[in-house]
Amino acid sequence: MTIRMLPPHLINQIAAGEVIERPASVVKEIVENALDAGSTDILIELRDSGKSFISIKDNGAGMSAAQLPLAVIRHATSKIPDNDLFKISSLGFRGEALASIGAIARLSLHSRQHNQEHGWCLCVHGGELMPMTPSMQLKDQGTCVEVADLFYATPARLKFMKSNAAEMTATMEVIHRLALSAPHVSFKVIAQDKVMLNAVKESLEHRVTSVLGKNFGENALPIFFENDVMTLKGFVTVPTYNHSQSTQQFFFVNERPVKDKLLYSALKIAYQDYIPHGRHGACCLFLTLPSEWVDMNVHPAKVEVRFQQPQTVRDLMYSVVKGSLKAPHTSTSTHLGEAAVAYFEKTLPHSSPSFSSPNMSFSGHATLPINEGPIHGTSGRNHRVSAHAPTHFYSSWKNSNSSSNVAKIMPMALGEDPVSTATVTLDLEQNVGFLGIPKAQLFESYIITQGENDFFIVDQHAAAERLTYEQLKLARENQEITVQPLLIPEILALPIHEQALLLGVREELSHLGVEIDTFGKDLVVRSVPTLLKNVNISEMMHDILEDLRHGDYSTRVEEKLLEKLSRIACHGSIRFGRALSMPEMSALLRQMEAFPLSAQCNHGRPSFIKLSRTDLSKLFERA
Ligand code: ADP
Ligand code: MG
């Protein structure tokens, strides 16, 4: 066996394996360079999703004839001031992207600086440097990087490339992240002569919409937090706007797009209470902190970072996002209302002459009593529906129902778990909120309510379920958690290092009602919260361990408790198909207004859909 130094081209190819995985990685590295060079306009062109050709043109500072050959040498960079790895404010710093790309593809660099008569061009093909030539390709300062025949010099890599569609998706995702990180820069992307993205210089708010679409923008809640050292700003979406994947979650640390486990998990925990298991909220969040607090150099592609104080970052992310989700915002995802209107528009014949019957029916199902609900019926007066303040309607309704000014609603009929037996008493004098007053109940399941300029269709079961859940949660927060000592303690036979992990969070577990203790050479669970007495304890403890092994503080106990609470809530709530009296409906609405997050049930389905007067005018072609 002989040990020998590898030839430089092989070293570059090996290193390229880490940095350049697919066309998306090429695009990422070159766009990062363009941003680092201070560009304000970036044009990206792709052929075969970048497999056969990528061109990226910027209007940044450019490179001089003397610098160009250095740019393609490994470990040559202009970006680490004072040779201090913890003072990096640029996206690049490893000095290996261009060298790597040159090693595995045909790379051409055209670059021109301000006030130069012409630019220069340098080509590297499969690691071989060509002589530099003058270039007229650029009219002004900037750089144009062209990459042809990716991986032609390392054909084995070609086999790992996916379909054009899959590569394009990956590339667009990279571009989206970078475009979100720099709204002050215009981005245009052309693939196979089709414009894939055309974002002008704009505010972050507009950029979010340009890149992630109108739906994201309309359902976004702004986030802003600032203290002496850190800021967190951006947007998270309302809980009813959720997805099966976390692909709509965008994080930036000091303006660098990152995919960081800690940030994902903090977000997940912040949302956990508001969206169903396995669904994901969407976000675009920018964290800024002193550069010494974060190590960017933990991943060749620089997408992971390491925080000096992970707990501080996690707590900040969690509390700020949760605070915003918890705020009594009252909307469900806007696309729901739009979808409803679109549905009716489709279903209703456009200019049907046959609307002679006073009882119009939608798609053959329902007969809608228009304007003459039981409210008005009792007094015999005929209230015209018009744009008065809802309180006005409310008082006229109240007068006509003088028999019961106080409505009682039993939000839950608890089975096995006596968490709370509170009866909520509601005084009908209380102010009518945004949900307005109930007008009718349909199919003994849906409540139609009218506000000032909007009307709502409320899913009574979904709404009641959420309310019950919120009330149970409140009860849990206010009372001490009731703890159930186990008659036969659960023995956990675990290796010593795993026992140590659990013992390390003993105090936190005990706060949640889970008492653990050593027992000989094993660990035992002595008590659990009463609510969890029927869960598989050993399974839960192993789940907790799994989380701890991955470095995340476990939220299992919390999760299990909430899961349990929501199940009870679901069973104990007003069912579908139950006739409700007007006071009951009204009480339900007033409670919904009082509780944040009533816009959805615990399974993340909306509990009401909002439609406007304008929607109605549109439907009847009055607009
Ligand atoms: P890094 O970005 O880590 O420094 P790269 O291999 O990506 O390493 O680039 C090497 C150097 O080439 C950069 O440090 C920069 O000085 C120069 N460079 C690359 N692309 C551009 C560009 N688009 N505009 C100006 N300079 C560039
Ligand atoms: Mg770079």
Side-chain angles (χ1 to χ4, degrees):
M1 186 180 77
T2 328
I3 300 179
R4 66 186 174 97
M5 279 302 289
L6 293 174
H9 80 274
L10 211 55
I11 294 179
N12 279 343
Q13 283 184 3
I14 290 171
E18 281 191 326
V19 194
I20 307 299
E21 221 186 310
R22 57 202 305 186
S25 1
V26 175
V27 171
K28 173 178 175 294
E29 294 295 335
I30 301 178
V31 172
E32 285 186 357
N33 282 346
L35 292 172
D36 282 344
S39 311
T40 54
D41 282 302
I42 297 177
L43 171 65
I44 303 165
E45 289 180 73
L46 306 164
R47 257 179 259 146
D48 294 323
S49 304
K51 289 176 186 170
S52 64
F53 184 73
I54 298 169
S55 157
I56 298 177
K57 193 173 137 192
D58 68 50
N59 65 346
M63 286 169 274
S64 67
Q67 291 166 356
L68 258 184
L70 290 172
V72 295
I73 294 178
R74 178 164 310 283
H75 307 315
T77 177
S78 57
K79 302 179 189 172
I80 308 186
D82 318 324
N83 287 339
D84 185 345
L85 262 182
F86 283 87
K87 271 196 196 148
I88 294 164
S89 57
S90 55
L91 292 166
F93 56 85
R94 297 169 58 106
E96 57 185 357
L98 291 180
S100 298
I101 296 167
I104 53 168
R106 294 180 218 280
L107 168 72
S108 317
L109 280 174
H110 296 262
S111 201
R112 180 172 177 172
Q113 287 188 315
H114 184 55
N115 285 339
Q116 272 186 342
E117 267 174 38
H118 59 79
W120 290 91
C121 171
L122 183 67
C123 297
V124 189
H125 290 178
E128 196 184 329
L129 198 68
M130 313 282 165
M132 199 159 61
T133 53
S135 161
M136 295 307 289
Q137 203 191 32
L138 294 153
K139 302 275 166 287
D140 210 339
Q141 75 165 40
T143 301
C144 179
V145 184
E146 290 170 352
V147 180
D149 305 329
L150 189 63
F151 297 127
Y152 90 98
T154 49
R157 262 283 158 128
L158 278 173
K159 297 194 196 99
F160 290 91
M161 275 216 276
K162 305 220 171 85
S163 68
N164 277 2
E167 294 301 343
M168 195 64 208
T169 306
T171 302
M172 284 313 289
E173 197 204 307
V174 158
I175 295 172
H176 283 166
R177 283 179 196 275
L178 288 161
L180 287 169
S181 80
H184 59 284
V185 176
S186 76
F187 279 79
K188 186 165 185 179
V189 183
I190 300 172
Q192 229 73 28
D193 299 325
K194 243 178 77 187
V195 178
M196 310 293 288
L197 174 72
N198 192 2
V200 297
K201 303 175 185 85
E202 55 200 343
S203 66
L204 175 62
E205 214 175 328
H206 286 107
R207 177 58 56 94
V208 162
T209 302
S210 313
V211 171
L212 303 176
K214 187 169 136 267
N215 261 340
F216 185 103
E218 283 177 350
N219 293 296
L221 305 167
I223 294 281
F224 187 82
F225 169 87
E226 189 176 35
N227 66 15
D228 292 349
V229 278
M230 296 196 279
T231 61
L232 180 67
K233 62 170 190 174
F235 301 94
V236 297
T237 54
V238 294
T240 40
Y241 183 82
N242 57 54
H243 297 84
S244 61
Q245 301 287 326
S246 58
T247 45
Q248 283 237 21
Q249 295 178 352
F250 298 88
F251 294 105
F252 305 85
V253 174
N254 291 350
E255 284 172 43
R256 174 194 302 280
V258 297
K259 291 185 175 178
D260 184 78
K261 258 183 65 183
L262 180 144
L263 300 178
Y264 282 117
S265 85
L267 186 84
K268 185 176 160 206
I269 300 169
Y271 265 106
Q272 140 183 317
D273 200 8
Y274 312 126
I275 57 179
H277 223 69
R279 303 287 298 176
H280 304 267
C283 76
C284 180
L285 288 171
F286 292 78
L287 176 68
T288 315
L289 70 181
S291 61
E292 330 61 276
W293 282 25
V294 47
D295 188 354
M296 301 288 186
N297 188 30
V298 286
H299 188 273
K302 302 160 293 183
V303 291
E304 280 169 28
V305 292
R306 196 180 290 134
F307 295 104
Q308 209 182 61
Q309 292 161 15
Q311 191 62 45
T312 312
V313 172
R314 184 184 293 130
D315 289 350
L316 172 80
M317 180 68 84
Y318 169 77
S319 57
V320 174
V321 172
K322 178 133 183 175
S324 162
L325 293 176
K326 223 159 126 179
H329 56 81
T330 49
S331 63
T332 50
S333 180
T334 53
H335 70 264
L336 299 172
E338 277 166 28
V341 173
Y343 174 76
F344 282 138
E345 275 171 349
K346 255 190 281 158
T347 328
L348 289 170
H350 241 268
S351 52
S352 165
S354 61
F355 281 165
S356 50
S357 152
N359 286 343
M360 184 173 79
S361 84
F362 285 131
S363 41
H365 297 305
T367 306
L368 260 179
I370 298 173
N371 202 8
E372 278 288 308
I375 297 173
H376 312 299
T378 45
S379 70
R381 274 182 290 153
N382 189 8
H383 299 266
R384 295 278 313 155
V385 176
S386 59
H388 294 295
T391 38
H392 168 82
F393 284 114
Y394 178 66
S395 37
S396 54
W397 169 68
K398 202 187 69 177
N399 293 337
S400 64
N401 283 271
S402 48
S403 57
S404 75
N405 263 9
V406 173
K408 283 200 168 89
I409 180 164
M410 280 283 280
M412 47 218 158
L414 292 174
E416 42 166 344
D417 301 270
V419 175
S420 156
T421 48
T423 305
V424 178
T425 310
L426 265 182
D427 185 351
L428 289 181
E429 296 287 342
Q430 148 184 1
N431 283 341
V432 172
F434 73 96
L435 285 169
I437 54 169
K439 288 281 169 181
Q441 189 190 26
L442 300 183
F443 310 117
E444 306 191 322
S445 297
Y446 299 95
I447 305 168
I448 307 287
T449 87
Q450 187 192 328
E452 195 162 2
N453 278 308
D454 299 305
F455 67 104
F456 301 84
I457 306 172
V458 177
D459 175 327
Q460 69 188 41
H461 177 63
E465 185 187 317
R466 183 75 207 184
L467 281 173
T468 312
Y469 177 59
E470 292 285 328
Q471 285 160 349
L472 283 167
K473 228 173 57 182
L474 202 68
R476 182 175 68 86
E477 274 163 25
N478 290 342
Q479 298 159 7
E480 285 282 288
I481 291 177
T482 49
V483 171
Q484 169 109 5
L486 297 175
L487 286 179
I488 307 161
E490 182 89 17
I491 297 176
L492 303 171
L494 295 169
I496 296 290
H497 67 278
E498 294 191 338
Q499 292 188 20
L501 274 178
L502 281 176
L503 288 169
V505 293
R506 188 180 191 164
E507 208 168 310
E508 285 93 331
L509 289 174
S510 145
H511 281 315
L512 289 163
V514 179
E515 299 286 352
I516 56 169
D517 212 345
T518 45
F519 181 73
K521 51 184 184 20
D522 289 326
L523 214 58
V524 289
V525 181
R526 295 208 182 276
S527 73
V528 293
T530 313
L531 269 177
L532 294 187
K533 68 172 193 270
N534 294 329
V535 306
N536 183 328
I537 294 164
S538 152
E539 213 169 79
M540 179 178 80
M541 296 311 287
H542 278 95
D543 286 347
I544 294 175
L545 250 181
E546 192 60 26
D547 290 349
L548 291 171
R549 250 187 246 121
H550 287 112
D552 286 334
Y553 170 64
S554 185
T555 56
R556 292 285 173 180
V557 184
E558 191 80 22
E559 251 172 53
K560 279 269 168 354
L561 265 168
L562 291 173
E563 234 178 77
K564 185 87 177 171
L565 286 178
S566 61
R567 242 201 50 229
I568 297 169
C570 185
H571 294 319
S573 304
I574 298 174
R575 308 238 120 247
F576 237 43
R578 199 189 115 192
L580 295 178
S581 68
M582 279 294 162
E584 275 180 319
M585 284 189 242
S586 186
L588 182 64
L589 299 179
R590 300 296 78 85
Q591 286 187 73
M592 286 172 72
E593 287 156 0
F595 275 93
L597 292 157
S598 62
Q600 57 185 10
C601 79
N602 308 326
H603 309 292
R605 292 189 305 265
S607 59
F608 65 81
I609 292 174
K610 174 170 142 182
L611 291 150
S612 66
R613 254 169 105 88
T614 343
D615 289 333
L616 274 187
S617 330
K618 269 206 311 223
L619 275 175
F620 292 98
E621 302 181 355
R622 278 176 181 278

